[in-house]
Amino acid sequence: MKAQHNRQRVPAINDDDKSDAIFLSSRPTTEIAAALLGKQLRLQTTSGPLTAWITETEAYLGANDAGAHAYQNHQTARNRALWQPAGTIYIYQMRALYLLNLVTQVAGTPECVLIRGIEPASGVEQMQHNRPVPLANLTNGPGKLMQALGLDKTLNGQPLQKATLSLDLDHVRQPRQIIKSPRIGIVNKAEWTSAPLRFYVAGNPFVSKIGRKTIDSHTHGWQ
């Protein structure tokens, strides 16, 4: 794959598929990463559902991707979930933080999408109880959003399902514009360091490492 250095605009994507597993296996992982923007993540908790629109993702392309946990098909107890079918939840720990990934291809093809940012929709008070910070800093990063949702590794290796964590494909928002750029934190990986595999909603405040001047305070980048 030829690495590209500049941020690029890509067309917003409409998708009417109603099945988590089919949605997450119906096209290349890069397209899925873009298509997830505006889809609603839904977590069932004892105090009610927590929901949020996905605002930022990164694609990880398995055995050929030097930035991926499955590079060269390296399989361990930690990353075993990546070899499960599309719709499997892959959560790993990085220092004190947990990061949420969704497996995107058929069993045996260890590709996934990292959920890097979400915009809270419902259950905001519970999210701020879980992570007591101002709203602007609540879910604009992969470790932050997991703290706000109150998630650890318990769901690792389980399928997306309505009883726990799922995609609500009936309640979606349409980005005005999607930006793609290199992934964050992938260093010294040759062409994979600059490969444009990060996707985010232009102008949305719930995106990691975004300049304040680029934020659309009126629509948050949604149509």
Side-chain angles (χ1 to χ4, degrees):
M1 138 176 235
K2 184 178 179 181
Q4 301 179 42
H5 297 271
N6 297 326
R7 294 181 177 180
Q8 303 172 33
R9 293 177 172 85
V10 298
I13 295 172
N14 287 300
D15 197 296
D16 295 323
D17 203 317
K18 303 306 179 184
S19 164
D20 289 359
I22 293 174
F23 175 80
L24 290 169
S25 63
S26 60
R27 69 205 92 180
T29 297
T30 50
E31 294 181 18
I32 294 167
L36 278 168
L37 300 177
K39 301 302 186 286
Q40 193 172 98
L41 196 66
R42 183 181 183 89
L43 176 69
Q44 291 289 352
T45 75
T46 55
S47 58
L50 306 180
T51 65
W53 290 286
I54 298 172
T55 59
E56 181 184 8
T57 60
E58 287 181 348
Y60 287 86
L61 306 183
N64 295 321
D65 183 349
H69 289 174
Y71 182 49
Q72 297 181 334
N73 276 314
H74 179 65
Q75 185 175 165
T76 67
R78 179 195 188 209
N79 70 5
R80 191 169 294 133
L82 286 171
W83 277 262
Q84 299 305 307
T88 299
I89 299 165
Y90 171 45
I91 298 173
Y92 65 89
Q93 187 170 0
M94 186 173 67
R95 297 185 289 278
L97 301 175
Y98 297 98
L99 280 71
L100 173 65
N101 301 259
L102 304 179
V103 177
T104 54
Q105 300 299 321
V106 297
T109 302
E111 299 187 14
C112 69
V113 170
L114 169 67
I115 308 301
R116 282 201 61 94
I118 58 175
E119 178 175 343
S122 66
V124 179
E125 289 185 2
Q126 182 61 45
M127 292 186 202
Q128 288 187 297
H129 175 77
N130 294 338
R131 177 175 160 79
V133 300
L135 182 62
N137 193 38
L138 184 62
T139 54
N140 58 333
K144 296 176 183 181
L145 69 88
M146 290 290 278
Q147 290 177 337
L149 294 173
L151 285 176
D152 54 20
K153 290 182 68 175
T154 303
L155 296 180
N156 180 52
Q158 297 187 24
L160 289 169
Q161 54 186 321
K162 291 182 179 179
T164 53
L165 183 68
S166 62
L167 290 173
D168 184 345
L169 300 176
D170 293 315
H171 297 89
V172 302
R173 303 189 81 168
Q174 187 68 21
R176 288 183 179 275
Q177 184 181 97
I178 294 172
I179 302 294
K180 63 178 180 178
S181 70
R183 295 172 293 191
I184 294 174
I186 305 299
V187 297
N188 302 320
K189 301 298 183 183
E191 63 181 344
W192 295 97
T193 293
S194 56
L197 297 173
R198 174 182 175 231
F199 302 83
Y200 63 90
V201 178
N204 192 280
F206 297 93
V207 170
S208 57
K209 300 183 183 296
I210 190 172
R212 296 294 99 185
K213 292 182 179 180
T214 67
I215 289 175
D216 179 348
S217 58
H218 298 292
T219 69
H220 289 184
W222 305 114
Q223 289 186 9

